[in-house]
Amino acid sequence: MNALLRWLASWPLGKLHTLGALLGWVTYLLSPTYRRRLRANADLAGLTPAQRRASVAQAGCMTAEAPWLWLRDGEVSPYCRWEGAELIEQAFAQGKGLVILTPHLGCFEITARAFAERWGAAHPLTVLYRPSRKAALRELEETARGRPGMDTAPATLAGVRQMLRALKRGETIGLLPDQVPPQGMGAWAPFFGRDAYTMTLAAKLVRQTGAHWLLMWAERLPGGRGFILRVSAPQHPLPGAGEPDSEALQQACARRINEEMERLIMLNPAQYLWGYHRYKAPRDAAASPAAAGTQGPAQ
């Protein structure tokens, strides 16, 4: 498997995206479960049929470019163009930690590496990740993501402490806030009109450390022409500044972050990973407060 991935990593990016688009459609056609989930999630967001079809190919592109990102020698910076980088510089000037939130949109894997190549020497980055259950893939992920200026933190209590320490040192952390968190680390909040178990960690870290927070995603350009790294500030601050933590405040913060993620996603909905099982409930998590009959078909 590793030999195949390394061979694919040597391909030009445009060829990988062509292969990925084909694989995306093969997966969509052969997996009824994946097809139903993608269609249901896309319909919740009001995507047009054309946008939904484009998302099938884009999901395949995301998979096919992974070997290129993980195993290719050399920097990715020549393939990246930045828009909004001054917001990151301004955050650094405040002398506090920085939290960067990235949804499953575009080439989200490249965001951390591009950041580390540009700023990691002076401003190290720690990214939260969920280790693969497969040992071989887990080892590959850890090796590929362990780059100069970039560290990884597992989605465990130890990983949370690691990120907290990084922020207190004035460093940067990166999270995917639309990733379903483990039981006890989330709150139910609307996401495109349906309750989703949503990470509370990002807001807690911002509130506990006074860190600045920004939004970032990487738009995949056609024809293998690279990526645009887009950075933006949230439209509204997190609620409850100065208030003690509470379940109601956690839910309000989760709602606010979901609103920001929705805004980013709708800038380019064809590049969002609609097939992701966003609305699943972690094992032993309390059920959504919304009535089951209003939630639509199970996914």
Side-chain angles (χ1 to χ4, degrees), residues 92 112-125 148-150:
F92 290 155
R113 186 166 168 187
F115 179 100
E117 288 179 9
R118 181 161 180 168
W119 291 291
H123 302 279
L125 171 70
M150 183 171 70

Side-chain angles (χ1 to χ4, degrees), residues 23-47:
L23 292 177
W25 275 104
V26 169
T27 302
Y28 181 83
L29 294 173
L30 294 182
S31 174
T33 300
Y34 173 72
R35 185 166 61 248
R36 285 194 299 269
R37 182 182 301 143
L38 187 150
R39 291 174 64 94
N41 291 349
D43 288 347
L44 278 174
L47 265 64

Side-chain angles (χ1 to χ4, degrees), residues 245-263:
D245 195 28
S246 66
E247 183 177 346
L249 182 54
Q250 290 182 22
Q251 290 177 337
C253 288
R255 178 188 293 267
R256 178 61 46 78
I257 288 177
N258 277 355
E259 290 170 352
E260 296 290 350
M261 294 301 102
E262 289 177 9
R263 179 174 63 83

Side-chain angles (χ1 to χ4, degrees), residues 21-275:
L22 176 61
L23 292 177
W25 275 104
V26 169
T27 302
Y28 181 83
L29 294 173
L30 294 182
S31 174
T33 300
Y34 173 72
R35 185 166 61 248
R36 285 194 299 269
R37 182 182 301 143
L38 187 150
R39 291 174 64 94
N41 291 349
D43 288 347
L44 278 174
L47 265 64
T48 66
Q51 289 171 328
R52 189 177 64 223
R53 289 193 296 270
S55 76
V56 173
Q58 290 293 327
C61 291
M62 179 210 70
T63 301
E65 69 199 5
W68 186 89
L69 290 166
W70 290 357
L71 300 173
R72 177 182 170 277
D73 293 328
E75 295 187 340
V76 299
S77 295
Y79 297 87
C80 298
R81 174 162 58 89
W82 287 84
E83 291 189 1
E86 68 278 1
L87 295 174
I88 294 177
E89 299 284 0
Q90 292 167 11
F92 290 155
Q94 295 182 9
K96 297 181 178 180
L98 173 62
V99 176
I100 294 181
L101 304 183
T102 300
H104 288 83
L105 177 65
C107 183
F108 53 89
E109 280 276 359
I110 206 173
T111 55
R113 186 166 168 187
F115 179 100
E117 288 179 9
R118 181 161 180 168
W119 291 291
H123 302 279
L125 171 70
T126 301
V127 293
L128 182 71
Y129 82 107
R130 183 169 296 169
S132 173
R133 295 179 180 178
K134 297 182 178 180
L137 184 56
R138 182 169 61 248
E139 182 180 353
L140 177 61
E141 288 176 338
E142 291 172 354
T143 301
R145 290 170 173 163
R147 302 278 176 168
M150 183 171 70
D151 200 1
T152 57
T156 62
L157 185 57
V160 172
R161 291 172 179 155
Q162 180 183 345
M163 289 188 294
L164 185 59
R165 290 194 297 268
L167 285 177
K168 289 181 176 179
R169 292 193 298 266
E171 297 176 1
T172 303
I173 66 168
L175 305 97
L176 276 71
D178 59 338
Q179 188 171 48
V180 179
Q183 190 275 332
M185 297 180 66
W188 292 101
F191 185 69
F192 290 110
R194 177 178 176 182
D195 275 358
Y197 197 64
T198 300
M199 175 189 297
T200 56
L201 175 62
K204 285 182 178 180
L205 291 173
V206 170
R207 286 170 50 80
Q208 287 180 17
T209 64
H212 200 64
W213 63 295
L214 293 171
L215 316 172
M216 179 176 169
W217 68 286
E219 179 182 355
R220 183 181 300 109
L221 297 175
R225 292 189 286 112
F227 309 88
I228 301 178
L229 279 293
R230 301 190 184 277
V231 185
S232 63
Q235 287 192 332
H236 303 285
L238 291 175
E243 296 180 12
D245 195 28
S246 66
E247 183 177 346
L249 182 54
Q250 290 182 22
Q251 290 177 337
C253 288
R255 178 188 293 267
R256 178 61 46 78
I257 288 177
N258 277 355
E259 290 170 352
E260 296 290 350
M261 294 301 102
E262 289 177 9
R263 179 174 63 83
L264 284 194
I265 291 164
M266 295 313 294
L267 294 175
N268 194 332
Q271 291 197 14
Y272 186 64
L273 197 62
W274 296 106

